[in-house]
């Protein structure tokens, strides 16, 4: 039975007050994210901006987010809520700072470390500010900590339980020392971690300034009002969709260890103002590192509902209130310990989106776009630089073709769906690492034909200029292709190549790991987007 609409009550803010509160809190979240980007050490955060930030109520309910990465933003509420419950909010003290990267709490993978700062007014916990950032190394079997062929979490790096990095304002030096001893690029990781702490401190100051204006009760009232407002907006947006149900199955082509056709099945039901998404028919968790946490699945759902209804829907706890997501523990989309997860968000989150879109397409008309490139297409290159004997770790995700839609063509060489990072400039790559960028271009003609063409793919080729390096190249849609819709053609598949210094090229699987020597290169051409509509119409 459909629930009754959550009508506004007399305790809530009026329309003007709501807009002021929404913008005040969002601006604090944005300032936290900006501070993190400007003070971080690694190109992965300061150039690519692989990080996100948000403001939360004392119980972990999301109040406001910065407009960063859909995957991070969708799963952070689960991480924060579970981390606070695991540690115990009653055990927190002013000056404490928590950290965790545990995927079984709802995090994505181990390089994404979440830093959580409780905000106290006197002795009362009144708010939480948190950010998450992708670190270029957290240990594990390969430089960059993104091995696709890992088969258990212990091979992927250091797993951090919810614990204090700062205790009542004092850095826990032994904790930090233990963490850094297990990381190849300790200088970069330490700098980025301290940047996360400093960014949260800025957010804490801004929240306390706000609390001086509004008072604790006023802040709590604003939070309740914003969540209620988001729920009302989301219910209204869902109600605009046609009632109905649809089921669709899409496939991953590689489990990280070997090629395997892995089904991801989504059943979508729209019932008035409510949305139900069932992912329980998805395959069991697999041997390699493409499993993902249940929170990743929830993040995909939050993204899809905004893209198919109203992208201006407020991103707070109210967004998911009228939405039910059902997963099966022990499946690809709800991994259980000790399943490997490094590429769950890189590959699997994108295919979850494709499956949900496909299910919506069964009972809607002109709402769903064609499939995009289908992967975040991550490349890591790491080793010891023989010039100075230090470890380095290049980490980057590559854009691809965006699927076309009824409204127009897809964009080319862009990040789509659950990723929203920038690129690392070629000059930065060549300055920071023993790498030369030999190609960085749009792969013309790779988008699917149609009334509206799919976006073209991206090609990047990197050559190692000295020493030896370990490479992990992880993409998707190599043996499959992004599907077109309404008569539109599929996009061109992706390609992974290893080229020796002698010029001999070797095609590799979508999930590959190999070694480069001086003069050897790796290249990824991502997939093009699917086309929409018959070209003759």
């Amino acid at each position: 039975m459909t629930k009754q609409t959550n009508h506004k009550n007399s305790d809530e803010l009026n329309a003007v007050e709501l807009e002021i509160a929404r913008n005040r809190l969002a601006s604090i979240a944005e300032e936290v994210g900006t501070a993190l980007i400007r003070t971080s050490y690694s190109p992965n955060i300061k150039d690519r901006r692989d990080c996100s930030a948000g403001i939360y109520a004392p119980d972990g309910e999301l109040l406001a987010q910065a407009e960063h990465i859909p995957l991070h933003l969708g799963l952070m509420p689960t991480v924060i809520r579970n981390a606070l419950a695991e540690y115990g909010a009653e055990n927190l003290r002013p000056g404490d700072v928590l950290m965790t990267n545990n995927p079984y709490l709802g995090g994505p993978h181990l390089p994404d470390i979440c830093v959580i700062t409780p905000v106290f007014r006197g002795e009362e916990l009144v708010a939480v500010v948190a950010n998450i950032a992708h670190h270029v190394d957290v240990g594990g079997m390969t430089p960059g900590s993104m091995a696709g062929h890992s088969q258990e979490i212990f091979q992927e790096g250091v797993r951090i339980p919810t614990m204090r990095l700062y205790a009542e304002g004092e850095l826990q030096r032994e904790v930090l020392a233990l963490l850094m001893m297990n990381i190849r690029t300790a200088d970069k990781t330490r700098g980025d971690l301290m940047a996360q702490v400093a960014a949260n401190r800025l957010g804490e100051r801004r929240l306390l300034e706000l609390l001086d204006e509004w008072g604790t009760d006023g802040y709590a009232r604003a939070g309740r009002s914003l969540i209620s407002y988001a729920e009302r907006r989301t219910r209204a947006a869902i109600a605009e969709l046609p009632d109905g149900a649809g089921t669709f199955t899409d496939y991953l082509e590689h489990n990280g260890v070997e090629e395997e056709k892995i089904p991801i099945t989504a059943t979508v039901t729209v019932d008035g103002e409510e949305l139900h998404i069932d992912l329980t028919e998805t395959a069991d968790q697999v041997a390699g590192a493409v499993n993902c946490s249940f929170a990743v699945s929830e993040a995909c759902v939050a993204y899809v509902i905004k893209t198919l209804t109203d992208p201006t829907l407020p991103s707070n706890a109210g967004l998911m209130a009228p939405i039910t997501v059902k997963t099966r523990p022990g499946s690809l989309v709800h991994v259980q310990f000790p399943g490997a997860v490094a590429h769950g968000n890189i590959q699997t989150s994108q295919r979850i989106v494709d499956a949900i879109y496909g299910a919506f397409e069964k009972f809607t008309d002109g709402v769903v776009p064609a499939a995009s490139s289908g992967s975040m297409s991550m490349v890591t290159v790491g080793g010891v630089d023989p010039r100075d004997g230090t470890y380095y770790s290049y980490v980057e995700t590559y854009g691809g073709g965006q699927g076309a839609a009824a409204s127009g063509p897809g964009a080319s060489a862009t990040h789509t769906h659950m990723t929203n990072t920038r690129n690392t400039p070629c000059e930065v790559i060549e300055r920071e690492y023993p790498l030369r960028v030999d190609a960085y271009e749009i792969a013309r003609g790779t988008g699917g034909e149609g009334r509206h063409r799919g976006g073209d793919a991206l090609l990047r080729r990197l050559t190692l200029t000295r020493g030896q390096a370990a490479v992990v190249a992880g993409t998707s849609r190599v043996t499959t292709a992004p599907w077109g819709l309404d008569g539109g053609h599929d996009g061109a598949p992706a390609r992974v190549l290893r080229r020796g210094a002698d010029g001999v090229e070797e095609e590799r699987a979508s999930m590959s790991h190999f070694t480069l020597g001086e003069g050897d290169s790796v290249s990824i051409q991502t997939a093009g987007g699917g086309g929409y509509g018959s070209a003759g119409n």
Side-chain angles (χ1 to χ4, degrees):
M1 180 180 292
T2 303
K3 296 177 184 176
Q4 295 296 314
T5 301
N6 181 23
H7 294 290
K8 183 178 181 295
N9 63 57
S10 58
D11 181 55
E12 294 180 16
L13 306 182
N14 63 38
V16 174
E17 292 169 331
L18 267 174
E19 193 66 7
I20 291 171
R22 184 181 67 82
N23 281 280
R24 287 290 297 272
L25 288 172
S27 70
I28 294 173
E30 291 285 355
E31 192 173 5
V32 171
T34 299
L36 172 55
I37 290 163
R38 295 187 66 180
T39 58
S40 59
Y41 279 45
S42 69
N44 198 52
I45 301 174
K46 68 183 178 184
D47 292 300
R48 292 190 59 244
R49 304 189 176 188
D50 196 345
C51 58
S52 299
I55 307 299
Y56 300 80
D59 60 358
E61 275 204 307
L62 175 65
L63 300 182
Q65 294 178 323
E67 293 292 338
H68 290 153
I69 299 173
L71 183 95
H72 286 170
L73 298 174
L75 61 82
M76 278 181 71
T78 303
V79 177
I80 306 306
R81 184 173 61 250
N82 289 343
L84 290 174
E86 181 182 65
Y87 190 82
E90 70 279 4
N91 297 318
L92 293 170
R93 299 291 180 269
D96 286 353
V97 177
L98 302 179
M99 64 176 175
T100 186
N101 67 349
N102 187 356
Y104 309 115
L105 281 181
H109 52 195
L110 298 187
D112 282 332
I113 298 178
C114 188
V115 173
I116 305 164
T117 302
V119 179
F120 285 82
R121 197 165 187 245
E123 296 300 315
E124 181 183 2
L125 176 63
V126 292
V128 173
V129 58
N131 66 64
I132 192 169
H134 185 115
H135 292 259
V136 293
D137 193 90
V138 290
M141 63 194 297
T142 60
S145 310
M146 287 297 300
H149 59 296
S150 56
Q151 297 187 52
E152 58 179 2
I153 195 70
F154 302 106
Q155 295 173 306
E156 297 190 330
V158 177
R159 186 157 52 106
I160 307 169
T162 305
M163 62 190 305
R164 290 191 297 182
L165 178 59
Y166 279 79
E168 299 185 59
E170 292 294 325
L171 175 63
Q172 302 301 282
R173 298 185 183 278
E174 292 179 349
V175 169
L176 186 62
L178 176 63
L179 185 60
M180 294 303 111
M181 186 167 282
N182 288 280
I183 291 173
R184 295 175 181 86
T185 56
D187 57 336
K188 290 286 194 296
T189 301
R190 188 186 192 285
D192 287 344
L193 193 60
M194 292 300 103
Q196 288 184 264
V197 172
N200 277 0
R201 283 176 176 159
L202 175 59
E204 179 183 17
R205 291 201 303 273
R206 295 291 183 259
L207 283 172
L208 289 174
E209 292 167 359
L210 191 64
L211 282 155
D212 286 341
E213 292 182 38
W214 292 358
T216 303
D217 290 342
Y219 177 81
R221 180 176 174 233
R224 291 192 301 270
S225 298
L226 288 168
I227 291 171
S228 176
Y229 171 65
E231 180 177 350
R232 294 196 305 274
R233 287 275 307 276
T234 305
R235 286 184 178 278
I238 294 172
E240 292 296 316
L241 293 168
D243 282 0
T247 298
F248 186 84
T249 299
D250 211 327
Y251 298 88
L252 283 181
E253 63 201 54
H254 204 291
N255 66 22
V257 177
E258 60 186 358
E259 290 190 353
E260 177 187 4
K261 193 175 183 181
I262 311 168
I264 297 176
T265 300
T267 296
V268 170
T269 304
V270 175
D271 180 12
E273 298 176 338
E274 295 189 346
L275 170 65
H276 309 278
I277 296 185
D278 189 327
L279 298 169
T280 57
E281 296 302 312
T282 295
D284 292 342
Q285 65 187 63
V286 297
V290 296
N291 305 293
C292 69
S293 74
F294 63 94
V296 169
S297 300
E298 292 174 348
C300 295
V301 173
Y303 166 82
V304 166
I305 194 59
K306 290 188 72 167
T307 58
L308 295 188
T309 59
D310 181 358
T312 70
L313 291 176
S315 292
N316 64 42
L319 177 69
M320 294 297 288
I323 301 172
T324 302
V325 183
K326 188 176 181 182
T327 57
R328 176 171 52 84
S331 68
L332 182 77
V333 297
H334 189 151
V335 66
Q336 290 190 306
F337 175 83
V341 298
H343 285 257
N345 53 330
I346 303 300
Q347 316 300 342
T348 309
S349 72
Q350 303 288 67
R351 197 64 73 254
I352 293 170
V353 170
D354 288 343
I356 297 173
Y357 273 164
F360 267 107
E361 175 66 15
K362 299 294 185 181
F363 63 97
T364 60
D365 183 24
V367 174
V368 175
S372 295
S373 57
S375 173
M376 297 185 191
S377 297
M378 173 165 276
V379 176
T380 66
V381 183
V384 177
D385 190 339
R387 185 172 59 184
D388 56 15
T390 60
Y391 274 98
Y392 65 92
S393 180
Y394 162 78
V395 177
E396 185 160 12
T397 53
Y398 296 167
Q402 182 185 45
S407 57
S412 296
T414 188
H415 289 279
T416 58
H417 298 332
M418 302 309 293
T419 178
N420 188 34
T421 57
R422 296 189 176 190
N423 70 334
T424 306
C426 298
E427 297 85 352
V428 172
I429 293 173
E430 295 182 348
R431 182 192 71 212
E432 294 277 341
Y433 313 108
L435 296 170
R436 183 179 68 244
V437 181
D438 290 331
Y440 186 43
E441 59 196 51
I442 295 174
R444 302 292 181 185
T446 52
E449 296 283 351
R451 184 171 73 253
H452 298 302
R453 279 186 55 91
D456 288 331
L458 181 148
L459 169 66
R460 177 171 256 173
R461 184 169 63 250
L462 301 169
T463 296
L464 186 69
T465 58
R466 55 185 180 270
Q468 284 195 328
V471 175
V472 174
T475 188
S476 192
R477 298 297 196 190
V478 169
T479 60
T480 63
W483 33 265
L485 277 181
D486 195 33
H489 292 189
D490 293 347
R495 299 179 70 197
V496 180
L497 291 169
R498 183 193 184 282
R499 175 185 289 179
D502 56 4
V504 176
E505 291 188 337
E506 176 189 4
E507 293 269 2
R508 303 299 299 239
S510 58
M511 301 281 288
S512 301
H513 59 97
F514 46 87
T515 301
L516 295 181
E518 184 175 329
D520 297 340
S521 65
V522 56
S523 64
I524 282 190
Q525 179 177 300
T526 59
Y532 196 100
S534 299
N537 293 343

